Amino acid sequence: MRGIKNFNIASLVVFAFVFSVSSAKADWLNFRGPQGSGYAENIANTPAELGEAQVAWKAPLPGRGLGSAIIVGEKVFVTAASGPDQNQLHILCFNAADGAPMWERRFWATGRTMTNNKTCVAAPTPASDGERIYALYSSNDLICVDLNGNLKWMRGLTLDYPNASNSLGMASSLIISENTLIAQIENDSESFAAGFDLTDGTNKWKMDRPKAANWTSPTLLKIGDQEVVALQSSKGILGLLPATGSSVFNYEKGAATIPSGAAAGDKLYTPSNGLTAISATTDGSAPVELWNESAQRPGTASPIVIGENVYTINGAGVLSCADRQTGERLWRSRLTGPFSASPVAGANGLIYVVSETGVVQVIDPSSAEDKKVTSEYELSETILGTPSLSDGAIYVRSDKHLWKLGK
Amino acid sequence: MKRIRIFIAFSLLACISLSMNSVRGENATLNPLLTALKQVGPEGEGNAEAAVAWKALTKHGGEAIVPILEAMSGTGPLTRNWMRSAAEAIFARETQSESAVDAVALIEFFNDREHDMKARDLAYDLLNRADTDEAASLIPAMLDDPSPVLRRLAVAQLIAQGESELKDGKIDASLATLNNALSAARDIKQIDEIAKLLRKDLEQTIDLPKHFGFLSHWHLIAPFDNTERKGFDTAYPPEKEINFETAYDGKGSKKVKWQEYATADDYGMVDFNTPFSPLKEVIGYAYTEYNSEEARDVEIRLGCKNAWKIWLNGELVFGRDEYHRGARIDQYILPVKLKKGKNTLLVKACQNEQEQTWTVEWQFQLRLCDSTGTAILATDRKPTPKPEVKTRRRGAEKESEEKAKE
């Protein structure tokens, strides 16, 4: 019960914060929202109940994709890939209010489009700085448009770096910090990470990365006033200053290459030897390992930190809640799996997960142990993409449709 | 109600004298913008200027679409995308505002097969969005189109027709239709589909390796050492000389020699595991010669789930050190220039240390074709081996004769 008590206290603090900034824009700007970690304390009133009545709209999509939607103001952006070889790349913009298509841009892939059948070319989630949309594809095409669809720049990273590809497909998503767009283009061959200038797409920095396939996405730590981007790979976690790519810490005990970590302030809960909590600094010293729990190994879904707890979903579809200070497991609950999508949550602390079979589930951590799943809604399509949140709503996409559930 | 007004009924002649001057003026305005889009280069070069030009370009009306398509000729993939998105942005705005898009000009552009393939694909796509019926009427003539995208549409119609004829018991008609479809097909899935119908339902013999242009006859030598994957960057003797008579030190100091190999696989798979048995941490080489009728551009198209390198006429074309992430036909497309007469091809195929069942494969498939996927056959192409003798190696015939005597 300790975890629930902690959560309730944290909820009050969060509620007070949200109330005080209720006029602030609550956008969802990249994969797993704030800090790339799944939890958005400034997004309010996400739905507690899901059903037919909560389907605000459902829009058809022109091609496959498992990257999440991102939300900027009253616009929703999503990518897709179509054609026999998935070599048609799409960026789509919808009106958040009614799902009406606003504009679409299409491009021919310039890199390799081969992927494993389960994934697809539009696997990475785009990112936004609130002014522009940055879209990355498995073909390593990196495209920037403004919110009205005006093309600002384009990079063909496989044209520039010909061996940077993965025949299973690339999937790492983008993140933005300190006016820098950060991408992990990591694979068995020409493996690198880079920071791109937001305005023209040129390299601000580029660094070699371990030559090993890696589908994880960068997360952002906040260490004092400094944002630090955490790059996860089979070798561990590398902390970098976003604008320069300068290394500030290196955790060398290895990490997973599919689920990403979850950041909370200067702490990172990373899928390493199960789940490991580390505390990082910017002074070049090695991160401090706070705890390690081999039993809390995430499956494909990434962990999420809400209040004082950290949640993981294992490969069998069991959700575990642990005290994030100690790693002690507080409770477990079997969900309807399997999962490729990661959990997300807003200010009310309700956790949203979507199974590969399209069952959207609402989890209330404060509910009784055998009734954690408080609502379910079946979308009846394969869903591999992580949901996105905005005030009052949750967005889910499949290969064929984009749904807005809520208001 | 159609959102586009098609100007087919309009007289072209009436517009010519007026339009010549306006076109000159239009082009003068467009050219600097299109030039800026042509300046984009590696690592973001020219992006800032291109963005300014793109915005100015998209302020033009529908009359700018065809000049943009024309400007794609000879450009690279980035520039084509800048131009494509500009043309589509104009098209979307014009059609949303119920403005006219000059379909006649689009059809004229489309009908000229000398234009850039991607630009013609886009012209057809825009036509299709403007008037589906008009676009559909163009499909039958696309059967020999240089664009694989457009050709696929025509072949799909023939496959449907052939299946329908087959279903109705019109065997001769179905055979003619499907043979016609096969001759035209460049899309791998379509070729597969047609071959299955012809073989299974119409009992035809199809030489798929020849249709695709796979190279079926090779010399192989293996194994050389690839412990810790170090062999990828190690230049073993076949990278220095090709001598079929010499025995070289292979892995573990075992003497290795070149041996003949031919594959009957429909997709030209060259399987090192067949002559050498499944091995780990090894390198194999495959060598073949190819006589070209003329000096010309071709594409080497490779499928391989092992790390590999390819040399053409002794020059390294490309190499990739990725293992067991998947393979498919035409996985890698390598544009090269053949010389007239004899050309040599050397493939290095590397096997790593992984022990999972899905890491057993040590193989590749390679074909030569043009940029549309049409097979370019050697002047001295040997017949495709019969399927029953799937692989042949030196001495194999003698062994089988001896076994037969026993």
Side-chain angles (χ1 to χ4, degrees):
Chain A
M1 292 298 104
R2 183 176 150 200
I4 292 171
K5 186 179 168 188
N6 284 344
F7 174 71
N8 288 339
I9 293 166
S11 300
L12 288 173
V13 172
V14 167
F15 179 78
F17 172 77
V18 169
F19 186 77
S20 68
V21 293
S22 58
S23 62
K25 213 164 66 168
D27 293 335
W28 189 271
L29 297 176
N30 49 266
F31 181 56
R32 299 170 68 212
Q35 293 184 260
S37 296
Y39 173 54
E41 61 186 6
N42 62 338
I43 288 182
N45 303 318
T46 49
E49 290 287 329
L50 293 178
E52 280 300 325
Q54 280 72 42
V55 179
W57 49 262
K58 177 183 176 183
L61 296 176
R64 298 189 62 193
L66 53 86
S68 312
I70 59 170
I71 299 98
V72 185
E74 291 305 311
K75 292 177 177 175
V76 184
F77 303 89
V78 70
T79 60
S82 66
D85 296 321
Q86 290 189 73
N87 58 4
Q88 300 281 326
L89 312 179
H90 307 249
I91 304 175
L92 301 127
C93 175
F94 296 92
N95 185 331
D98 59 10
M102 298 183 79
W103 53 259
E104 179 186 6
R105 292 288 173 265
R106 302 182 194 188
F107 304 88
W108 290 298
T110 69
R112 300 178 190 105
T113 57
M114 178 179 171
T115 69
N116 178 278
N117 288 336
K118 186 171 181 178
T119 181
C120 62
V121 170
T125 296
S128 178
D129 55 359
E131 294 179 26
R132 307 175 194 88
I133 305 299
Y134 307 88
L136 176 66
Y137 300 83
S138 176
S139 56
N140 288 332
D141 288 297
L142 180 57
I143 300 164
C144 172
V145 294
D146 68 17
L147 301 186
N148 296 317
N150 295 307
L151 182 58
K152 306 308 285 186
W153 53 263
M154 179 176 185
R155 293 286 303 271
L157 297 177
T158 305
L159 296 174
D160 290 335
Y161 315 110
N163 249 324
S165 70
N166 182 337
S167 299
L168 286 174
M170 307 283 282
S172 182
S173 295
L174 301 162
I175 206 160
I176 295 168
S177 176
E178 296 185 350
N179 290 318
T180 307
L181 177 70
I182 294 144
Q184 285 181 265
I185 311 294
E186 301 188 16
N187 56 88
D188 290 339
S189 191
E190 197 169 358
S191 192
F192 69 92
F196 301 95
D197 187 296
L198 295 180
T199 59
D200 64 9
T202 51
N203 294 357
K204 290 178 81 171
W205 53 266
K206 176 174 177 282
M207 65 187 306
D208 290 343
R209 292 286 289 154
K211 282 167 67 90
N214 184 11
W215 298 273
T216 65
S217 297
T219 50
L220 277 183
L221 293 167
K222 289 181 179 170
I223 304 175
D225 294 331
Q226 177 66 54
E227 286 194 340
V228 172
V229 61
L231 305 185
Q232 180 179 320
S233 75
S234 57
K235 301 288 185 193
I237 310 290
L238 184 64
L240 305 174
L241 297 180
T244 62
S246 304
S247 169
V248 291
F249 73 81
N250 193 10
Y251 171 77
E252 297 179 293
K253 290 190 177 177
T257 55
I258 295 178
S260 306
D266 63 350
K267 309 289 190 300
L268 184 65
Y269 300 83
T270 189
S272 169
N273 306 306
L275 190 70
T276 300
I278 61 173
S279 177
T281 64
T282 56
D283 62 8
S285 57
V288 176
E289 186 173 308
L290 303 172
W291 51 261
N292 167 257
E293 286 292 339
S294 59
Q296 286 171 42
R297 181 184 304 276
T300 299
S302 302
I304 185 171
V305 174
I306 308 170
E308 291 303 306
N309 298 329
V310 57
Y311 302 84
T312 53
I313 300 173
N314 68 15
V318 175
L319 175 71
S320 290
C321 172
D323 183 330
R324 78 176 178 104
Q325 303 298 330
T326 64
E328 177 194 356
R329 180 185 288 153
L330 303 173
W331 53 261
R332 289 198 292 180
S333 180
R334 183 170 290 280
L335 308 176
T336 302
F339 294 96
S340 280
S342 294
V344 295
N348 59 17
L350 298 174
I351 302 172
Y352 301 91
V353 294
V354 189
S355 72
E356 290 183 4
T357 54
V359 181
V360 191
Q361 295 152 76
V362 184
I363 295 137
D364 184 351
S366 65
S367 294
E369 198 145 331
D370 58 344
K371 293 176 182 168
K372 296 292 182 190
V373 179
T374 54
S375 183
E376 282 189 350
Y377 179 54
E378 208 159 317
L379 296 175
S380 303
E381 286 186 32
T382 300
I383 309 278
L384 304 179
T386 294
S388 311
L389 301 178
S390 68
D391 285 342
I394 166 175
Y395 292 85
V396 183
R397 71 86 50 88
S398 69
D399 277 347
K400 295 174 182 165
H401 293 101
L402 172 65
W403 288 265
K404 181 182 183 182
L405 307 174
K407 295 175 184 172
Chain B
M1 178 181 142
K2 286 176 191 166
R3 294 160 68 196
I4 312 297
R5 283 175 284 152
I6 307 294
F7 285 167
I8 291 173
F10 280 33
S11 164
L12 287 170
L13 290 172
C15 302
I16 287 175
S17 59
L18 279 175
S19 62
M20 287 308 288
N21 286 332
S22 62
V23 164
R24 282 192 202 103
E26 184 68 28
N27 286 347
T29 315
L30 294 177
N31 283 344
L33 306 176
L34 294 167
T35 301
L37 300 189
K38 290 178 182 175
Q39 301 301 315
V40 295
E43 299 193 317
E45 187 183 306
N47 271 337
E49 296 79 5
V52 174
W54 190 94
K55 194 157 188 181
L57 191 57
T58 55
K59 285 180 178 163
H60 284 261
E63 72 283 353
I65 291 176
V66 168
I68 293 172
L69 295 174
E70 287 170 343
M72 284 189 190
S73 180
T75 63
L78 289 174
T79 293
R80 275 202 292 263
N81 271 314
W82 280 91
M83 292 181 175
R84 173 192 182 162
S85 56
E88 290 188 308
I90 294 168
F91 181 88
R93 190 192 60 238
E94 295 291 300
T95 53
Q96 274 169 12
S97 65
E98 298 281 326
S99 298
V101 168
D102 191 346
V104 170
L106 272 179
I107 292 170
E108 272 184 11
F109 178 86
F110 168 81
N111 282 337
D112 185 346
R113 292 184 173 185
E114 294 299 310
H115 284 307
D116 180 88
M117 249 185 342
K118 292 276 193 189
R120 289 183 63 246
D121 291 349
L122 179 56
Y124 181 79
D125 190 23
L126 297 178
L127 270 173
N128 191 37
R129 286 186 239 173
D131 189 326
T132 309
D133 294 339
E134 182 68 28
S137 72
L138 301 172
I139 291 177
M142 297 176 189
L143 207 56
D144 60 348
D145 200 285
S147 160
V149 171
L150 301 173
R151 190 182 282 231
R152 188 189 292 120
L153 299 174
V155 171
Q157 283 190 345
L158 277 193
I159 294 173
Q161 183 188 327
E163 281 181 312
S164 173
E165 289 163 345
L166 191 60
K167 198 176 169 187
D168 294 341
K170 298 174 184 169
I171 301 300
D172 289 346
S174 176
L175 187 57
T177 303
L178 291 173
N179 273 326
N180 196 14
L182 183 64
S183 298
R186 299 293 177 267
D187 178 273
I188 290 153
K189 284 181 184 167
Q190 287 186 329
I191 292 169
D192 254 349
E193 192 180 349
I194 300 163
K196 274 177 193 160
L197 287 167
L198 285 170
R199 282 173 169 169
K200 193 178 169 189
D201 297 314
L202 295 165
E203 298 176 345
Q204 297 297 298
T205 302
I206 311 290
D207 189 347
L208 276 184
K210 189 175 179 184
H211 184 86
F212 281 111
F214 282 114
L215 304 191
S216 303
H217 296 264
W218 295 81
H219 282 77
L220 306 185
I221 188 168
F224 295 96
D225 192 17
N226 192 29
T227 303
E228 298 178 351
R229 308 187 186 191
K230 289 178 180 171
F232 180 78
D233 286 323
T234 304
Y236 290 110
E239 295 179 35
K240 297 165 188 165
E241 64 166 12
I242 301 296
N243 186 336
F244 294 149
E245 304 308 319
T246 304
Y248 301 99
D249 286 335
K251 186 174 182 180
S253 296
K254 181 187 170 190
K255 289 291 181 190
V256 294
K257 280 189 81 172
W258 288 99
Q259 56 184 277
E260 287 181 39
Y261 176 93
T263 175
D265 184 74
D266 269 346
Y267 307 104
M269 193 62 77
V270 176
D271 181 7
F272 283 88
N273 283 333
T274 304
F276 302 110
S277 76
L279 297 170
K280 284 289 169 182
E281 298 191 295
V282 288
I283 301 281
Y285 290 90
Y287 173 86
T288 195
E289 293 175 357
Y290 178 100
N291 270 290
S292 178
E293 193 173 15
E294 56 181 342
R296 60 165 300 161
D297 293 330
V298 295
E299 291 181 352
I300 296 175
R301 296 192 177 190
L302 177 83
C304 185
K305 67 183 298 207
N306 306 91
W308 56 270
K309 287 184 180 177
I310 290 181
W311 292 261
L312 173 68
N313 296 326
E315 295 290 325
L316 180 66
V317 178
F318 200 72
R320 177 159 174 79
D321 50 347
E322 180 187 68
Y323 291 88
H324 301 298
R325 299 297 185 192
R328 73 172 185 195
I329 295 171
D330 295 353
Q331 186 176 4
Y332 304 103
I333 296 177
L334 310 168
V336 294
K337 286 187 185 298
L338 290 182
K339 58 185 183 182
K340 185 178 180 181
K342 187 178 102 172
N343 293 268
T344 65
L345 272 162
L346 178 69
V347 178
K348 181 179 192 175
C350 312
Q351 175 62 297
N352 70 351
E353 75 293 342
Q354 286 179 269
E355 294 292 345
Q356 297 95 328
T357 53
W358 43 269
T359 65
V360 173
E361 291 90 348
W362 179 23
Q363 59 192 25
F364 71 90
Q365 55 196 156
L366 186 151
R367 67 185 185 123
L368 294 185
C369 54
D370 67 15
S371 60
T372 71
T374 304
I376 306 296
L377 302 178
T379 54
D380 58 349
R381 182 182 173 87
K382 293 177 187 171
T384 302
K386 302 276 188 221
E388 57 270 22
V389 282
K390 206 164 188 177
T391 59
R392 296 176 63 196
R393 57 192 166 93
R394 183 172 284 181
E397 284 178 354
K398 197 176 176 185
E399 283 172 20
S400 57
E401 281 172 17
E402 285 171 357
K403 279 182 185 171
K405 285 177 189 171
E406 287 170 10

